[in-house]
Protein backbone atom coordinates (compact mmCIF):
# COMPACT_ATOMS: atom_id res chain seq x y z
CA UNK A 1 0.00 0.00 0.00
CA UNK A 2 2.83 2.38 0.86
CA UNK A 3 4.61 1.50 -2.40
CA UNK A 4 1.44 2.19 -4.40
CA UNK A 5 0.93 5.57 -2.68
CA UNK A 6 4.60 6.47 -3.32
CA UNK A 7 4.23 5.56 -6.99
CA UNK A 8 1.17 7.82 -7.36
CA UNK A 9 2.94 10.75 -5.71
CA UNK A 10 5.93 10.33 -8.04
CA UNK A 11 3.64 10.19 -11.08
CA UNK A 12 1.82 13.38 -9.99
CA UNK A 13 5.14 15.16 -9.48
CA UNK A 14 6.33 14.16 -12.99
CA UNK A 15 3.08 15.37 -14.54
CA UNK A 16 3.37 18.69 -12.65
CA UNK A 17 6.95 19.26 -13.91
CA UNK A 18 5.93 18.34 -17.47
CA UNK A 19 3.05 20.82 -17.36
CA UNK A 20 5.41 23.48 -16.04
CA UNK A 21 7.83 22.86 -18.92
CA UNK A 22 5.02 23.15 -21.48
CA UNK A 23 3.96 26.52 -20.03
CA UNK A 24 7.48 27.86 -20.48
CA UNK A 25 7.38 27.06 -24.20
CA UNK A 26 4.28 29.27 -24.71
CA UNK A 27 4.74 33.06 -25.04
CA UNK A 28 3.55 34.81 -21.94
CA UNK A 29 0.93 37.58 -22.49
CA UNK A 30 0.44 40.23 -19.81
CA UNK A 31 -3.02 40.31 -18.35
CA UNK A 32 -3.59 44.03 -19.05
CA UNK A 33 -6.39 45.82 -20.88
CA UNK A 34 -5.75 47.13 -24.41
CA UNK A 35 -4.37 50.71 -24.47
CA UNK A 36 -4.03 53.07 -27.45
CA UNK A 37 -0.58 53.89 -28.80
CA UNK A 38 0.99 56.98 -27.19
CA UNK A 39 2.03 59.61 -29.76
CA UNK A 40 5.75 60.28 -29.98
CA UNK A 41 6.60 63.74 -28.67
CA UNK A 42 9.49 65.44 -30.45
CA UNK A 43 12.14 67.68 -28.96
CA UNK A 44 11.09 71.13 -30.21
CA UNK A 45 12.76 74.56 -30.15
CA UNK A 46 10.27 75.99 -27.66
CA UNK A 47 10.81 79.68 -26.78
CA UNK A 48 7.83 80.05 -24.44
CA UNK A 49 10.22 80.48 -21.49
CA UNK A 50 11.23 83.87 -22.90
CA UNK A 51 7.78 85.33 -22.24
CA UNK A 52 7.90 87.69 -19.23
CA UNK A 53 11.70 87.49 -19.11
CA UNK A 54 13.33 90.79 -18.17
CA UNK A 55 14.97 92.98 -20.78
CA UNK A 56 18.36 92.68 -19.05
CA UNK A 57 18.16 88.87 -19.05
CA UNK A 58 17.22 88.79 -22.73
CA UNK A 59 20.14 91.01 -23.73
CA UNK A 60 22.52 88.75 -21.81
CA UNK A 61 21.13 85.63 -23.51
CA UNK A 62 20.69 87.20 -26.98
CA UNK A 63 23.36 89.88 -27.06
CA UNK A 64 23.74 90.62 -30.77
CA UNK A 65 20.48 91.20 -32.65
CA UNK A 66 20.66 91.18 -36.44
CA UNK A 67 18.18 94.06 -36.52
CA UNK A 68 16.32 96.32 -34.11
CA UNK A 69 13.21 98.39 -34.65
CA UNK A 70 12.00 100.21 -31.56
CA UNK A 71 11.38 97.61 -28.87
CA UNK A 72 11.61 94.65 -31.30
CA UNK A 73 14.87 92.69 -31.54
CA UNK A 74 15.38 90.37 -34.52
CA UNK A 75 17.85 87.46 -34.61
CA UNK A 76 18.63 85.53 -37.80
CA UNK A 77 19.72 81.88 -38.20
CA UNK A 78 19.29 81.14 -34.50
CA UNK A 79 20.00 77.43 -34.96
CA UNK A 80 19.59 74.66 -37.53
CA UNK A 81 15.79 74.69 -37.20
CA UNK A 82 15.01 78.38 -36.57
CA UNK A 83 15.35 80.89 -39.39
CA UNK A 84 14.50 83.99 -37.37
CA UNK A 85 13.48 85.02 -33.88
CA UNK A 86 11.73 88.31 -33.09
CA UNK A 87 11.56 89.34 -29.43
CA UNK A 88 9.27 92.23 -28.44
CA UNK A 89 9.77 94.14 -25.18
CA UNK A 90 7.09 95.99 -23.24
CA UNK A 91 8.96 99.22 -22.45
CA UNK A 92 6.68 99.93 -19.46
CA UNK A 93 7.35 96.64 -17.67
CA UNK A 94 10.77 96.01 -19.30
CA UNK A 95 9.76 92.42 -19.97
CA UNK A 96 9.12 90.27 -23.05
CA UNK A 97 5.48 90.16 -24.12
CA UNK A 98 5.81 88.53 -27.56
CA UNK A 99 8.15 86.16 -29.39
CA UNK A 100 7.80 85.22 -33.06
CA UNK A 101 9.71 82.08 -34.10
CA UNK A 102 10.09 81.56 -37.85
CA UNK A 103 11.06 77.98 -38.67
CA UNK A 104 13.28 76.81 -41.47
CA UNK A 105 11.52 75.01 -44.32
CA UNK A 106 10.41 71.52 -43.26
CA UNK A 107 12.43 71.65 -40.03
CA UNK A 108 9.49 69.84 -38.38
CA UNK A 109 6.20 68.39 -39.56
CA UNK A 110 3.00 70.20 -38.65
CA UNK A 111 1.63 67.10 -36.89
CA UNK A 112 4.76 66.71 -34.74
CA UNK A 113 4.69 70.34 -33.57
CA UNK A 114 0.97 70.09 -32.80
CA UNK A 115 1.54 66.91 -30.78
CA UNK A 116 4.37 68.61 -28.87
CA UNK A 117 2.31 71.64 -27.83
CA UNK A 118 -0.74 69.52 -26.97
CA UNK A 119 1.47 67.48 -24.63
CA UNK A 120 2.42 70.61 -22.65
CA UNK A 121 -0.45 73.09 -22.93
CA UNK A 122 -4.21 73.35 -23.20
CA UNK A 123 -5.51 73.16 -26.77
CA UNK A 124 -7.98 75.92 -27.71
CA UNK A 125 -8.73 74.93 -31.30
CA UNK A 126 -7.59 75.25 -34.91
CA UNK A 127 -8.62 77.56 -37.75
CA UNK A 128 -7.99 77.17 -41.47
CA UNK A 129 -6.95 80.54 -42.89
CA UNK A 130 -6.13 81.79 -46.39
CA UNK A 131 -2.53 82.48 -47.39
CA UNK A 132 -1.58 85.19 -49.87
CA UNK A 133 1.21 86.11 -52.23
CA UNK A 134 2.88 89.55 -52.23
CA UNK A 135 0.12 90.95 -54.41
CA UNK A 136 -2.70 89.86 -52.12
CA UNK A 137 -3.82 86.86 -54.21
CA UNK A 138 -5.02 83.79 -52.30
CA UNK A 139 -2.54 80.98 -52.94
CA UNK A 140 -3.58 78.36 -50.39
CA UNK A 141 -4.70 77.52 -46.86
CA UNK A 142 -2.87 77.13 -43.59
CA UNK A 143 -3.89 75.66 -40.23
CA UNK A 144 -3.46 77.98 -37.24
CA UNK A 145 -3.53 76.14 -33.89
CA UNK A 146 -3.95 77.91 -30.54
CA UNK A 147 -2.69 76.68 -27.15
CA UNK A 148 -2.31 78.20 -23.69
CA UNK A 149 -1.48 77.71 -20.04
CA UNK A 150 -5.01 77.87 -18.58
CA UNK A 151 -8.29 76.06 -19.15
CA UNK A 152 -9.88 79.19 -20.65
CA UNK A 153 -8.00 81.20 -23.24
CA UNK A 154 -9.21 84.50 -21.81
CA UNK A 155 -7.40 83.70 -18.53
CA UNK A 156 -4.11 82.68 -20.16
CA UNK A 157 -0.84 84.47 -19.49
CA UNK A 158 0.77 82.45 -22.29
CA UNK A 159 -0.99 82.04 -25.64
CA UNK A 160 0.78 80.13 -28.41
CA UNK A 161 -0.23 80.16 -32.08
CA UNK A 162 1.23 77.64 -34.52
CA UNK A 163 0.91 78.45 -38.24
CA UNK A 164 1.33 75.19 -40.13
CA UNK A 165 4.95 74.13 -39.74
CA UNK A 166 6.17 77.63 -40.61
CA UNK A 167 6.07 79.78 -37.47
CA UNK A 168 5.08 79.97 -33.81
CA UNK A 169 4.00 83.08 -31.93
CA UNK A 170 4.25 83.18 -28.11
CA UNK A 171 2.41 85.97 -26.33
CA UNK A 172 1.32 87.15 -22.89
CA UNK A 173 -1.86 89.11 -23.71
CA UNK A 174 -1.91 90.50 -20.16
CA UNK A 175 1.53 92.07 -20.60
CA UNK A 176 0.99 93.76 -23.96
CA UNK A 177 2.06 97.41 -23.97
CA UNK A 178 -0.55 100.13 -23.84
CA UNK A 179 -0.91 101.50 -27.34
CA UNK A 180 0.12 105.16 -27.32
CA UNK A 181 -1.96 107.76 -29.07
CA UNK A 182 -1.10 107.53 -32.74
CA UNK A 183 -0.49 110.24 -35.28
CA UNK A 184 -3.68 110.61 -37.29
CA UNK A 185 -3.44 109.59 -40.92
CA UNK A 186 -4.33 113.14 -41.96
CA UNK A 187 -1.19 114.46 -40.23
CA UNK A 188 1.08 111.53 -41.08
CA UNK A 189 4.23 112.04 -43.15
CA UNK A 190 5.84 109.32 -45.32
CA UNK A 191 8.49 108.72 -42.64
CA UNK A 192 5.79 108.57 -39.95
CA UNK A 193 4.05 105.88 -42.01
CA UNK A 194 7.16 103.67 -42.07
CA UNK A 195 7.84 104.15 -38.35
CA UNK A 196 4.19 103.54 -37.44
CA UNK A 197 3.37 100.39 -39.41
CA UNK A 198 6.57 98.45 -40.15
CA UNK A 199 7.01 95.24 -38.07
CA UNK A 200 3.82 95.97 -36.14
CA UNK A 201 1.12 93.43 -35.23
CA UNK A 202 -2.02 93.73 -37.38
CA UNK A 203 -4.24 93.58 -34.28
CA UNK A 204 -2.37 96.54 -32.82
CA UNK A 205 -2.96 98.55 -36.01
CA UNK A 206 -6.65 97.70 -36.08
CA UNK A 207 -7.01 98.73 -32.44
CA UNK A 208 -5.17 102.02 -32.99
CA UNK A 209 -6.97 102.82 -36.27
CA UNK A 210 -10.41 101.21 -36.00
CA UNK A 211 -12.29 101.10 -39.30
CA UNK A 212 -9.52 102.92 -41.19
CA UNK A 213 -8.15 99.98 -43.20
CA UNK A 214 -10.42 97.85 -45.37
CA UNK A 215 -9.34 94.37 -46.45
CA UNK A 216 -9.73 92.86 -49.92
CA UNK A 217 -8.19 89.47 -50.72
CA UNK A 218 -5.65 89.89 -47.93
CA UNK A 219 -4.57 93.42 -48.84
CA UNK A 220 -5.28 96.09 -46.21
CA UNK A 221 -5.80 99.55 -47.68
CA UNK A 222 -6.44 102.93 -46.08
CA UNK A 223 -7.18 106.02 -48.16
CA UNK A 224 -6.30 109.43 -46.74
CA UNK A 225 -7.89 112.78 -47.40
CA UNK A 226 -6.48 116.21 -46.59
CA UNK A 227 -2.92 114.98 -46.14
CA UNK A 228 -0.09 117.10 -47.53
CA UNK A 229 2.03 114.06 -48.45
CA UNK A 230 -0.07 110.88 -48.57
CA UNK A 231 -3.16 109.64 -50.36
CA UNK A 232 -3.07 106.04 -49.17
CA UNK A 233 -1.26 103.24 -47.33
CA UNK A 234 -1.48 99.50 -48.09
CA UNK A 235 0.06 96.33 -46.65
CA UNK A 236 -0.23 92.53 -46.65
CA UNK A 237 0.37 90.96 -43.20
CA UNK A 238 2.57 87.88 -42.97
CA UNK A 239 1.91 85.78 -39.85
CA UNK A 240 0.02 88.79 -38.47
CA UNK A 241 2.91 91.24 -38.83
CA UNK A 242 3.65 93.98 -41.36
CA UNK A 243 6.97 93.51 -43.16
CA UNK A 244 6.36 95.78 -46.13
CA UNK A 245 4.08 98.74 -46.81
CA UNK A 246 3.11 100.57 -49.98
CA UNK A 247 2.75 104.35 -49.83
CA UNK A 248 0.65 106.29 -52.31
CA UNK A 249 1.88 109.88 -52.32
CA UNK A 250 -0.27 112.95 -52.79
CA UNK A 251 -0.48 113.45 -56.55
CA UNK A 252 0.13 117.16 -56.06
CA UNK A 253 3.75 116.31 -55.15
CA UNK A 254 6.12 115.71 -58.07
CA UNK A 255 9.08 113.31 -57.97
CA UNK A 256 11.65 115.95 -57.16
CA UNK A 257 9.63 117.33 -54.25
CA UNK A 258 9.32 113.83 -52.75
CA UNK A 259 13.01 113.10 -53.26
CA UNK A 260 13.98 116.45 -51.71
CA UNK A 261 11.77 115.63 -48.70
CA UNK A 262 13.63 112.38 -48.01
CA UNK A 263 17.06 113.93 -48.61
CA UNK A 264 16.18 116.68 -46.14
CA UNK A 265 15.45 113.95 -43.56
CA UNK A 266 18.87 112.33 -44.01
CA UNK A 267 18.03 109.71 -46.64
CA UNK A 268 20.12 109.02 -49.75
CA UNK A 269 18.47 108.78 -53.15
CA UNK A 270 19.78 106.91 -56.20
CA UNK A 271 18.22 106.60 -59.64
CA UNK A 272 18.17 102.85 -60.33
CA UNK A 273 16.12 102.42 -63.50
CA UNK A 274 13.22 103.46 -65.68
CA UNK A 275 9.67 102.12 -65.87
CA UNK A 276 8.63 102.21 -69.55
CA UNK A 277 4.99 101.50 -68.75
CA UNK A 278 4.76 104.38 -66.28
CA UNK A 279 7.20 106.46 -68.35
CA UNK A 280 8.87 107.38 -65.06
CA UNK A 281 12.26 106.95 -63.39
CA UNK A 282 12.75 104.46 -60.56
CA UNK A 283 14.60 105.57 -57.42
CA UNK A 284 15.96 103.74 -54.38
CA UNK A 285 15.68 105.87 -51.24
CA UNK A 286 17.25 104.64 -48.00
CA UNK A 287 18.58 105.65 -44.59
CA UNK A 288 20.08 102.24 -43.74
CA UNK A 289 16.97 101.19 -41.80
CA UNK A 290 14.26 101.53 -44.44
CA UNK A 291 14.60 101.12 -48.19
CA UNK A 292 11.98 102.64 -50.49
CA UNK A 293 11.57 101.71 -54.14
CA UNK A 294 9.89 104.82 -55.53
CA UNK A 295 8.32 105.34 -58.93
CA UNK A 296 5.54 107.60 -60.22
CA UNK A 297 4.03 108.59 -56.88
CA UNK A 298 4.20 105.12 -55.36
CA UNK A 299 6.73 103.79 -52.84
CA UNK A 300 7.35 100.26 -51.59
CA UNK A 301 8.92 100.40 -48.12
CA UNK A 302 10.91 97.50 -46.69
CA UNK A 303 12.89 97.21 -43.46
CA UNK A 304 16.58 96.41 -43.98
CA UNK A 305 17.93 96.88 -40.44
CA UNK A 306 20.43 99.24 -38.96
Amino acid sequence: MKQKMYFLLMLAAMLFVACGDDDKDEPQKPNTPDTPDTPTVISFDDFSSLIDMSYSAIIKQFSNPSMQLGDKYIYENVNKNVEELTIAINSDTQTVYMVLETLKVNAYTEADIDTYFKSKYKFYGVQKLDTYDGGGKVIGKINVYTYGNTERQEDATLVIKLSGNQSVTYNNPKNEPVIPERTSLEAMTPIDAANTFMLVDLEEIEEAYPGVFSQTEGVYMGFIENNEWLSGIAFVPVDGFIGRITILYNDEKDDQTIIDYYIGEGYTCTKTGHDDEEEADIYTITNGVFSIKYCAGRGGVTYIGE
Side-chain angles (χ1 to χ4, degrees), residues 78-91:
V78 176
N79 59 39
K80 67 176 183 178
N81 296 317
V82 180
E83 186 73 33
E84 189 173 276
L85 196 67
T86 300
I87 300 174
I89 306 292
N90 181 332
S91 58

Side-chain angles (χ1 to χ4, degrees), residues 131-140 216-219 236:
T131 58
Y132 304 89
D133 63 14
K137 181 181 179 181
V138 177
I139 57 175
T216 303
E217 295 186 343
V219 179
V236 178

Side-chain angles (χ1 to χ4, degrees), residues 50 58 62 71-73 75 85-89 96 98-99:
L50 301 186
I58 281 291
F62 298 92
D71 291 327
K72 292 184 174 67
Y73 298 81
Y75 303 84
L85 196 67
T86 300
I87 300 174
I89 306 292
V96 177
M98 188 280 297
V99 174

Side-chain angles (χ1 to χ4, degrees), residues 161-174:
K161 288 186 180 291
L162 164 66
S163 299
N165 67 341
Q166 301 172 14
S167 67
V168 182
T169 302
Y170 310 85
N171 172 251
N172 180 354
K174 301 187 184 305

Side-chain angles (χ1 to χ4, degrees), residues 183-198 202 205 209 212-216 218-225 227 229-237 242 244-250 262 297-301:
T183 304
S184 70
L185 295 187
E186 285 71 23
M188 188 172 285
T189 67
I191 292 175
D192 286 338
N195 290 330
T196 298
F197 298 113
M198 291 295 289
L202 174 62
I205 293 173
Y209 298 96
V212 170
F213 293 93
S214 59
Q215 189 255 124
T216 303
V219 179
Y220 287 77
M221 186 74 193
F223 293 100
I224 309 170
E225 296 181 358
N227 184 302
W229 289 101
L230 308 177
S231 63
I233 297 171
F235 49 80
V236 178
I242 314 307
R244 184 179 190 277
I245 66 172
T246 298
I247 293 176
L248 303 179
Y249 297 85
N250 189 324
Y262 280 109
R298 183 185 182 98
V301 186

Side-chain angles (χ1 to χ4, degrees), residues 74-146:
I74 302 166
Y75 303 84
E76 296 177 338
N77 294 313
V78 176
N79 59 39
K80 67 176 183 178
N81 296 317
V82 180
E83 186 73 33
E84 189 173 276
L85 196 67
T86 300
I87 300 174
I89 306 292
N90 181 332
S91 58
D92 293 329
T93 63
Q94 286 294 292
T95 56
V96 177
Y97 74 92
M98 188 280 297
V99 174
L100 171 61
E101 173 186 13
T102 303
L103 300 168
K104 292 186 177 179
V105 176
N106 296 324
Y108 304 95
T109 68
E110 181 177 324
D112 280 347
I113 308 174
D114 178 44
T115 299
Y116 169 83
F117 281 121
K118 283 178 177 174
S119 73
K120 295 189 66 177
Y121 304 101
K122 300 296 182 182
F123 177 56
Y124 298 141
V126 59
Q127 292 178 290
K128 189 175 288 291
L129 303 179
D130 291 331
T131 58
Y132 304 89
D133 63 14
K137 181 181 179 181
V138 177
I139 57 175
K141 298 279 187 179
I142 192 169
N143 293 320
V144 178
Y145 306 79
T146 304

